[in-house]
Amino acid sequence: MKPMDKLSQKREQIQELGGLKRIESQHLKGKLTARERLELLLDAGSFEEIGAFVVHRGTDFGIEKEQYLGDGVVTGYGTIHGRLVYLFSQDFTVFGGSLSETHAQKICKIMDLAMKNGAPVIGLNDSGGARIQEGVMSLGGYADIFYRNTLASGFIPQISVVMGPCAGGAVYSPAITDFIFMVEDTSYMFVTGPNVVKTVTHEEVSSETLGGASTHSSISGVAHFVAPNEVNCLNQIRKLLSYLPQNCEEKPVVQAYREDIREIKALDTFMPESPNQPYDMREIIEAIVDEDSSFEVHRNWAENIICSFARIAGMPIGIVANQPNVMAGVLDINSSRKAARFVRFCDSFNIPLVTLVDVPGFLPGKDQEWNGIISNGAKLLYAFCEATVPKITVITRKAYGGAYDVMNSKHIGADMNFAWPMSEIAVMGAKGAAEIIFKNEIKASSDPEQTLLQKEQLYLETFANPYKAAANGFVDEVIYPRETRIKIYRALKMLQTKVQQTPKKKHGNIPL
Ligand code: HXC
């Protein structure tokens, strides 16, 4: 065969993957092939493959007789919105996408290139795990990937997409990366599957219940994004990338937007009459950010806090906001973990933080204390303290107790702190405070109930407003709600050149 014909033949072979029958079976499961996924994810025609001719080196159990070009993973680079990304896409039609020594080497190669060139890595996972015929060679391959995931963490964005099985130790690569996407009904992740669970704990559980998309996006919090199907999932990844820079040394891309200083009059009448009435913080977010620019992370998990990418006048920001509609917006273990991780991501990649505060405090209770609200709440505190990106805070209503400090207060390094006029900034709620500090007076009173009410009012007037904090410079400005967008916009512009040095050290020791 002539050399050029041989190349043509091999090129054709590459496109065949594990064969028509297995491709059909993949489609029947509602899944796309590794190559179809890349085509949909990337800008049209931008994919360049690396390592298409790689084959495995296994020699046991007859596997040497079965060879497929590419060895179950398609790797390479391309562009999304015209910007470079590196990718690997596991091919379930070849040995169930299982990871061999050479399969791992292909992934490591593109991760190394991504780090040298400072561009994101996206991994599309669809794999039966370690290539059973290769034993420790496969395990070593996983560890090589985990090591690179860790080195790349905070240097380039890493996105994992689970589009099929992802089980055993294989889950730890996605777990180290910045974001995990899952697809409803066709993807699952677990350390030990239903069979092992049954043997060890005698529990009967399906793969879907144990580690499906809905479990991980609403119960465990392992998955940050969930999609109803693969096409939607791939589109969401494209959207996420639009907020991110290529690496930690770049700033996120500012989209073209008109100079926009509009007031939002409706916000002036938005707050409910009673300070204890819930409202949807999403409505405030939607009002102050650019139209359709909000993109929530962990939308269905720890819903008492909202973490969302968005834009103001084209500038990408990360929003952290208490959600009064869910558990009164209280901080608990999961919401602290969720927001801490988001804050650290934004700080790693130069995305300014905007914090919207309406928090009654930390959630009391045995469950929270026994499960470590102390060290978990400290994660969020630590993350905000450590962040050096521009940090802007708006208190919309309550900022009570330790939660006032934690939610990006002036004291922990916020650059601009605004408060709406109805803000209540105090150690605790007025009733509780009055009951403690005026205990004796109330007891001695002829009408204890009336005295308590009076004392409560006194406390409210003294502390439960923004002016004490503003008088001390802890709040820079008390603003009309309608001014919120313009105030944040101007603060973001003013802080564009912010540089903040931190003490030189190897790394901090966040309370994990
Ligand atoms: C080699 C594998 C494989 C594997 C699947 N295949 N998993 N080949 N190594 N790990 C092959 C099958 O032989 C089959 O080949 C093809 O892939 C499709 O598999 P099916 O079983 O037909 O598909 P399906 O019914 O969809 O089931 C998918 C599956 C199942 C649930 C993933 O294949 C499975 O349970 N596989 C084993 C999973 C596993 O135990 N892996 C090791 C986990 S431990 P043909 O030729 O028929 O197409 C681990 C440790 C990692 O991963 C440690 C890192 C530190």
Side-chain angles (χ1 to χ4, degrees), residues 15-313:
Q15 299 301 324
E16 287 164 9
L17 306 176
L20 262 184
K21 222 173 124 207
R22 293 192 181 102
I23 292 175
E24 264 171 30
S25 146
Q26 179 85 343
H27 286 160
L28 278 174
K29 288 178 195 156
K31 292 166 40 175
L32 297 166
T33 65
R35 288 182 186 281
E36 288 166 342
R37 288 167 178 162
L38 290 177
E39 240 165 67
L40 285 167
L41 176 60
L42 291 168
D43 295 341
S46 70
F47 183 57
E48 283 294 337
E49 189 162 356
I50 297 173
F53 298 123
V54 168
V55 288
H56 72 75
R57 293 195 273 264
T59 51
D60 293 313
F61 306 108
I63 199 169
E64 65 279 10
K65 296 188 205 97
E66 221 181 330
Q67 290 285 7
Y68 297 90
L69 293 182
D71 198 24
V73 63
V74 184
T75 51
Y77 63 96
T79 61
I80 291 182
H81 309 303
R83 295 192 296 161
L84 177 66
V85 290
Y86 291 84
L87 317 100
F88 67 87
S89 179
Q90 291 182 313
D91 176 6
F92 193 80
T93 68
V94 171
F95 303 117
S98 57
L99 188 131
S100 66
E101 177 195 13
T102 47
H103 178 128
Q105 282 170 351
K106 284 181 69 177
I107 294 175
C108 289
K109 190 191 265 185
I110 68 121
M111 292 180 78
D112 290 343
L113 275 169
M115 278 193 271
K116 283 181 205 159
N117 293 288
V121 176
I122 305 171
L124 308 182
N125 296 266
D126 187 359
S127 166
R131 178 85 47 89
I132 293 165
Q133 296 90 332
E134 286 206 14
V136 71
M137 301 310 284
S138 167
L139 299 184
Y142 272 117
D144 291 337
I145 296 170
F146 303 156
Y147 183 58
R148 282 166 177 76
N149 283 138
T150 307
L151 291 181
S153 179
F155 183 61
I156 48 173
Q158 301 182 84
I159 297 170
S160 297
V161 194
V162 181
M163 300 187 121
C166 182
V171 297
Y172 287 114
S173 169
I176 297 173
T177 61
D178 298 303
F179 296 109
I180 298 179
F181 286 77
M182 290 186 79
V183 182
E184 278 168 18
D185 303 324
T186 50
S187 65
Y188 53 86
M189 297 177 78
F190 36 67
V191 174
T192 47
N195 293 341
V196 178
V197 170
K198 192 172 174 198
T199 312
V200 178
T201 69
H202 310 292
E203 278 173 290
E204 296 245 15
V205 62
S206 67
S207 294
E208 185 62 26
T209 306
L210 189 61
S214 113
T215 297
H216 284 312
S217 60
S218 62
I219 300 173
S220 72
V222 166
H224 303 80
F225 301 97
V226 61
N229 56 57
E230 293 197 4
V231 176
N232 176 287
C233 180
L234 297 167
N235 281 330
Q236 285 196 49
I237 297 163
R238 289 180 63 88
K239 180 157 186 178
L240 172 64
L241 279 167
S242 73
Y243 300 92
L244 315 185
Q246 291 291 89
N247 57 61
C248 66
E249 272 152 27
E250 288 184 8
K251 287 193 171 178
V253 177
V254 177
Q255 287 195 350
Y257 205 88
R258 66 193 184 290
E259 178 89 354
D260 186 341
I261 49 167
R262 84 191 128 95
E263 290 190 337
I264 300 131
K265 296 235 161 49
L267 286 183
D268 278 357
T269 50
F270 175 80
M271 197 54 76
E273 278 289 305
S274 156
N276 295 325
Q277 204 175 318
Y279 62 86
D280 188 356
M281 184 64 95
R282 279 197 190 103
E283 288 185 38
I284 297 182
I285 295 173
E286 294 303 329
I288 61 177
V289 304
D290 297 351
E291 214 175 320
D292 293 328
S293 74
S294 165
F295 186 57
E296 255 187 66
V297 179
H298 272 143
R299 191 181 169 92
N300 306 324
W301 181 64
E303 293 172 85
N304 41 332
I305 206 156
I306 298 169
C307 296
S308 185
F309 293 109
R311 290 190 183 81
I312 288 200

